[in-house]
Amino acid sequence: MVPIRVGLLGLGTVGRGTYELLRRNQHEIARRAGRGIEITAVAVRDVEKARAIVGNDVSVSSDCNDVVSDPEIDIVVELMGGYEPARVLALDAIARGKHVVTANKALLARHGNELFDAARARGVMLAFEAAVAGGIPIIKALREGLTANRIEWIAGIINGTSNFILSEMRSRGVSFDAALKDAQRLGYAEADPAFDVEGVDAAHKLAILSSIAFGVPINLDAAYTEGITHLAKEDIKYAEQLGYRIKLLGITKRTVNGIELRVHPTLVPLQRLIANVEGAMNAILIKGDAVGVTLYYGAGAGSEPTASAVVADLVDVTRLHTADPENHVPHLAFQPDSVAALPWLSVDDTVTSYYFRMRVADQPGVLADITRNLAEGRISIDALFQREPSEGENQTDIIMLTHDALERDVNAAIKRIEALPTVLAPVIRIRQEELL
Ligand code: NAP
Ligand code: HSE
């Protein structure tokens, strides 16, 4: 059988990895796919740079439309990133009856509903395994492997760059800026690294996972997003003293009142496996009603790990290329006519436990004032310690963990506590999850 023909939009970290992986393992891949998979055209901005990688066997253009409109091409792989022109190019490819593979979570989180509708209407596949958690086959696991389950929650380290930065800061004392530079050098970071460190990239991935888990439309706007830029070294240290590690988690949960969708630094008990996931590795916990908690671990970013997921999609699409569209696995796990809009919970309505650090005057009655305000908000303390002030210092830190509390009550209590004359700085609050 003739090989299936692929056009690549983008030949950067992931594009180059995909090109090289397909070449290196072409025979093994063809044995699995049932026919060869061949990249015949590439579009990039810098044609000379691309030519040095692919030589003269592949056509190289600086115009993505050349690839998308090429009638010889069966699958368009979008690895350029960003919203536009990626969106219009993907739509054009779909309209021309081509299957699309993408690693672009930003695109799917923002425009996925439109793109999946278009792909369904045209009867083509839009595959996106690489868009979430790099090389971990999490989309397949959630969409197919756990299909018997009613999913209860997902919690994951789904941004390699921020996990890499937190690991480097904690274990090697590297500064935030230096660790970010390393992550960029290693090809983990987004074109705009603010997406990584402000939690936006994790929110993109979480919005996609949530849709597949609960059979709801993708809704990025429902996500509460907080990154790691405001984390202080002392909180990382105090958390460890209390038996916790701080991780940037994406959490989505089904509750009786609606669905939670939130990304924020989180205290995780040190004895959980996920607390010990370091560097650019990702890990995702999924709780299903039948299977219980399952954990998926692996490289969340980087050239070949991500290419591994892109090529897996290419093999899937190749196998199903001639299949009746009704026999395709639904893009977002649920049959399109059974996708339902469930209510989304505001972060104010979430219930979790908390870590607080309060900078206070070192004088009698301070702790009593604080605990009275917490009690007024029905917030109960689980653990507490006070840093011993150094010689001559007239202020100190109180560090505490709480039991579960409603975020709205916590916000009100923090406001009252910050108004106390003995509380000298804004209260640091980090959410905590037991992940059981
Ligand atoms: P990258 O290294 O910056 O590569 C982007 C490629 O796209 C480059 O070859 C660039 O061409 C090309 N490109 C960008 N805009 C273009 C345009 N308007 N016309 C033609 N070509 C254009 O990016 P990447 O890290 O490979 O990421 C690609 C996608 O994969 C993004 O959506 C990203 O979020 C996603 N992703 C990345 C990783 C990772 O670890 N890096 C992991 C998972 C998913 P030039 O080289 O000529 O500039
Ligand atoms: N910038 C992303 C990360 C790439 O660091 O996780 C993988 O999606």
Side-chain angles (χ1 to χ4, degrees):
M1 200 183 268
V2 290
I4 201 157
R5 284 146 311 188
V6 176
L8 271 192
L9 308 180
L11 197 68
T13 304
V14 184
R16 182 175 185 160
T18 300
Y19 174 78
E20 286 171 354
L21 181 59
L22 264 178
R23 275 174 67 100
R24 191 171 74 237
N25 292 347
Q26 57 181 307
H27 297 300
E28 200 76 350
I29 289 167
R31 286 172 62 209
R32 290 186 172 130
R35 62 195 281 197
I37 300 177
E38 204 175 274
I39 293 174
T40 56
V42 167
V44 288
R45 285 176 296 215
D46 183 340
V47 170
E48 289 314 308
K49 200 171 72 184
R51 183 106 14 251
I53 299 168
V54 299
N56 291 320
D57 300 341
V58 174
S59 85
V60 179
S61 171
S62 60
D63 184 352
C64 293
N65 294 302
D66 288 346
V67 172
V68 172
S69 64
D70 182 343
E72 297 293 304
I73 283 177
D74 306 299
I75 310 174
V76 171
V77 181
E78 185 278 304
L79 299 173
M80 49 201 288
Y83 300 118
E84 300 290 356
R87 185 187 69 93
V88 288
L89 290 165
L91 285 173
D92 189 18
I94 290 167
R96 290 169 186 275
K98 298 178 196 302
H99 306 289
V100 173
V101 173
T102 182
N104 191 337
K105 53 273 164 149
L107 176 68
L108 294 180
R110 188 53 74 200
H111 300 293
N113 295 323
E114 177 191 15
L115 289 163
F116 288 120
D117 282 351
R120 258 188 310 268
R122 193 65 177 79
V124 296
M125 284 168 273
L126 171 52
F128 54 99
E129 184 62 70
V132 183
I136 306 174
I138 193 65
I139 301 298
K140 213 171 189 55
L142 180 60
R143 187 171 59 188
E144 297 168 50
L146 299 179
T147 199
N149 288 261
R150 189 171 196 270
I151 303 298
E152 296 177 8
W153 53 260
I154 298 176
I157 296 172
I158 46 179
N159 181 263
T161 300
S162 52
N163 200 53
F164 176 84
I165 293 172
L166 289 178
S167 301
E168 291 289 283
M169 286 172 69
R170 187 187 56 77
S171 61
R172 300 205 304 124
V174 175
S175 73
F176 183 99
D177 290 342
L180 174 56
K181 279 209 177 79
D182 280 347
Q184 289 177 296
R185 184 177 50 76
L186 293 163
Y188 303 150
E190 294 303 302
D192 177 358
F195 274 44
D196 296 291
V197 296
E198 298 293 359
V200 179
D201 176 71
H204 288 153
K205 294 163 177 165
L206 189 67
I208 297 168
L209 288 178
S210 185
S211 169
I212 300 174
F214 305 125
V216 293
I218 299 172
N219 185 1
L220 179 64
D221 293 334
Y224 170 81
T225 306
E226 188 183 315
I228 60 167
T229 48
H230 300 298
L231 270 183
K233 274 193 181 142
E234 55 260 56
D235 294 314
I236 296 174
K237 188 186 75 186
Y238 290 142
E240 298 269 327
Q241 284 174 20
L242 288 160
Y244 292 83
R245 185 151 297 158
I246 299 180
K247 292 290 179 191
L248 182 73
L249 291 191
I251 300 168
T252 185
K253 257 186 211 174
R254 191 203 294 265
T255 77
V256 285
N257 299 319
I259 297 174
E260 294 179 11
L261 196 64
R262 49 192 169 99
V263 174
H264 49 70
T266 312
L267 266 75
V268 180
L270 267 172
Q271 64 268 31
R272 301 277 177 277
L273 287 171
I274 198 168
N276 297 285
V277 170
E278 301 290 11
M281 303 306 272
N282 280 193
I284 299 149
L285 291 159
I286 303 182
K287 172 95 184 279
D289 66 340
V291 72
V293 177
T294 51
L295 172 66
Y296 308 84
Y297 169 84
S303 181
E304 289 218 351
T306 311
S308 162
V310 174
V311 174
D313 276 347
L314 284 171
V315 171
D316 260 2
V317 171
T318 303
R319 283 176 181 147
L320 290 170
H321 179 52
T322 52
D324 205 334
E326 277 81 62
N327 294 328
H328 296 168
V329 178
H331 294 117
L332 296 170
F334 288 71
Q335 296 298 337
D337 57 3
S338 70
V339 169
L342 295 176
W344 296 90
L345 280 190
S346 141
V347 72
D348 287 347
D349 296 318
T350 58
V351 174
T352 187
S353 46
Y354 293 83
Y355 160 101
F356 295 138
R357 174 165 58 86
M358 302 174 190
R359 171 56 55 98
V360 297
D362 188 19
Q363 65 186 58
V366 172
L367 191 55
D369 286 343
I370 290 171
T371 54
R372 194 183 57 253
N373 276 290
L374 291 174
E376 251 177 56
R378 299 179 294 276
I379 300 159
S380 144
I381 297 169
D382 180 35
L384 178 149
F385 71 88
Q386 180 177 323
R387 175 178 63 79
E388 196 173 328
S390 26
E391 186 120 356
E393 197 187 11
N394 56 5
Q395 49 181 252
T396 184
D397 286 322
I398 293 174
I399 291 94
M400 57 177 76
L401 298 180
T402 74
H403 290 293
D404 276 355
L406 181 68
E407 177 117 350
R408 190 185 309 284
D409 292 340
V410 168
N411 292 338
I414 287 178
K415 216 168 173 185
R416 288 193 299 272
I417 289 168
E418 286 177 342
L420 294 170
T422 47
V423 173
L424 309 176
V427 172
I428 303 298
R429 164 256 305 275
I430 306 176
R431 296 168 192 85
Q432 181 195 331
E433 292 284 339
E434 290 303 314
L435 302 178
L436 287 170

